[in-house]
Structure formats: C-alpha cells, structure tokens
Amino acid sequence: GTSKWNKIEHRLFCHITQNWRGRPLTSLQVVINLIRNTTTTQGLEVEARLDPNLYKTGIKVTDQELDTIAIERNSFHGEWNYIIKPKLVT
C-alpha cells in the first residue's frame, strides 16, 4: 500500500505496480521480490525484506504513555505526518 501524503511512496508506487504487471501475488516472497526488483530510469532502487518477527495485537497505550513519546508533528496534517524521535536521556 501507499500513503497519499508520502511523496516518496507515491513516486515509487507507480513503478512498483508497473513492475507487477498483473502477476499473481501468490506469497509474501513473491511480493517482496517484485518490490525489491523495482528500479526507475533515474537509478532509484527499492529495498524490501520480510520482517519475520511476531507482534502482539490489541496492545492498549494509555494517554500518559503516549505523552512520553517524542513526536514532532508536521504543520501539514500532523495527525498523519510526523517524526518519532528518540528520547533524550537526562
């Protein structure tokens, strides 16, 4: 998928979908290989790999926990466009 606000993803997504050319996406490895083998005429290459980790679902984050995260919101749609920065240890 692609985010409508991320210009880099948008510029890449059209190349990735052209590279697929209607091939059936039969496995995660097929998807990763199709994405990984995408290039542009300007020389842009795409890196893709499977994250084999299992992640818990349904984790609830309290407002207090969320407030401790160093989030820098963009002035344009900061609810969607933001940078999560590492915490500074004092």
Side-chain angles (χ1 to χ4, degrees):
T2 180
S3 162
K4 64 182 176 180
W5 302 109
N6 187 322
K7 292 178 184 176
I8 301 299
E9 285 180 8
H10 257 289
R11 290 181 57 212
L12 277 175
F13 195 69
C14 64
H15 297 287
I16 292 169
T17 55
Q18 285 176 347
N19 193 39
W20 286 355
R21 288 188 216 111
R23 293 184 187 122
L25 305 176
T26 56
S27 69
L28 285 174
Q29 196 57 51
V30 168
V31 173
I32 291 167
N33 288 340
L34 286 170
I35 294 171
R36 184 184 295 148
N37 291 313
T38 300
T39 59
T40 67
T41 55
Q42 285 113 6
L44 185 64
E45 296 178 3
V46 179
E47 181 181 321
R49 64 182 175 273
L50 179 64
D51 181 354
N53 296 316
L54 296 176
Y55 297 93
K56 284 185 180 180
T57 59
I59 296 173
K60 302 291 182 195
V61 178
T62 66
D63 289 339
Q64 292 81 13
E65 290 172 319
L66 191 58
D67 288 341
T68 66
I69 300 172
I71 297 177
E72 180 181 306
R73 298 192 183 279
N74 189 288
S75 59
F76 180 75
H77 283 287
E79 69 276 18
W80 298 322
N81 300 309
Y82 52 85
I83 298 170
I84 298 176
K85 297 191 168 190
K87 289 184 186 180
L88 296 176
V89 178
T90 57

